Amino acid sequence: MALFISYSRLDKEVIDQLVRAMRLIDEQLWFDEHLSGGQEWWSEILKRIRECDAFIFALSKNSQLSRHCQAELQYGRQLRRNILPVMVGPVDNKRVNPVADLQTIDYTKAGFYTGVQFCLALQRLESQIAPLPSTLPDDPEMPYRELRDMSALLENRQLDLGELANLEIGRASCRERV
């Protein structure tokens, strides 16, 4: 079964442990460690979400605040991918999170029982693999694109007063979204 892991880089240490455990059960696993220089990273991530049979959402405060994780999760839901939330760190409220409607595996105290739960969940999801929708949703916009565009605008030039005013409006908009 092809698995995609969505996680915050701030949780990388526990994700590495989870990945090692998943490789023991020989699942086909993709997460962004497989990206290489020069790749169009956002396009590759979206492609891998389309190709996965199950989407593992590494739930934590960090992933709840990550625009990348939220965009990946939303896209996975639009594609009707099987979502498996795995709690890898603390969350403020288990009922107010983007996967509150799904049973979560608590990986914060990983052990034998957690491993069994995880394997059983994957086995159940494997029997529920659904095809992609006949009409694919639009690709979500790359997170923080406006910051990249702002950086390109500022590079090697001086702005006039109108451009500065627009830049300030854009900055305020970015602050609201982060």
Side-chain angles (χ1 to χ4, degrees):
M1 179 162 59
L3 304 175
F4 176 90
I5 301 178
S6 177
Y7 72 98
S8 166
R9 288 201 183 274
L10 298 173
D11 297 321
K12 183 77 167 109
E13 187 176 317
V14 69
I15 294 303
D16 288 342
Q17 294 171 11
L18 178 63
V19 165
R20 282 192 300 275
M22 290 173 66
R23 286 186 172 142
L24 290 174
I25 57 173
D26 204 28
E27 294 295 341
Q28 183 184 346
L29 177 64
W30 193 93
F31 64 111
D32 65 1
E33 78 168 354
H34 299 287
L35 292 173
S36 60
Q39 260 184 304
E40 292 184 22
W41 63 273
W42 188 240
S43 297
E44 183 66 18
I45 286 172
L46 299 179
K47 173 184 165 222
R48 296 302 181 144
I49 294 171
R50 286 189 295 272
E51 293 174 349
C52 78
D53 299 316
F55 181 106
I56 297 172
F57 186 74
L59 178 62
S60 70
K61 284 182 191 179
N62 298 324
S63 64
Q64 287 180 286
L65 295 173
S66 166
R67 288 174 69 183
H68 292 90
C69 292
Q70 295 307 311
E72 292 166 0
L73 178 62
Q74 182 179 5
Y75 192 57
R77 284 188 182 256
Q78 290 173 342
L79 293 170
R80 293 185 242 155
R81 301 296 83 197
N82 290 310
I83 311 288
L84 177 58
V86 178
M87 189 164 42
V88 297
V91 293
D92 289 330
N93 187 326
K94 289 183 184 177
R95 290 176 186 26
V96 184
N97 71 63
V99 288
D101 58 319
L102 300 170
Q103 184 64 35
T104 300
I105 293 175
D106 186 350
Y107 198 78
T108 59
K109 301 173 192 89
F112 177 77
Y113 182 71
T114 305
V116 170
Q117 277 187 309
F118 193 78
C119 287
L120 290 173
L122 288 177
Q123 190 176 41
R124 183 184 54 76
L125 291 177
E126 191 167 22
S127 69
Q128 299 174 348
I129 296 172
L132 289 170
S134 56
T135 304
L136 293 178
D138 291 338
D139 288 353
E141 190 172 303
M142 179 187 347
Y144 301 107
R145 168 174 252 134
E146 65 275 5
L147 295 178
R148 188 191 68 191
D149 294 346
M150 198 180 302
S151 175
L153 178 67
L154 292 173
E155 193 172 301
N156 297 324
R157 64 180 284 226
Q158 288 188 328
L159 303 179
D160 63 35
L161 289 175
E163 290 173 317
L164 281 172
N166 287 336
L167 190 59
E168 183 59 33
I169 291 167
R171 191 171 68 97
S173 173
C174 289
R175 250 194 326 262
E176 290 171 9
R177 288 190 233 157
V178 174

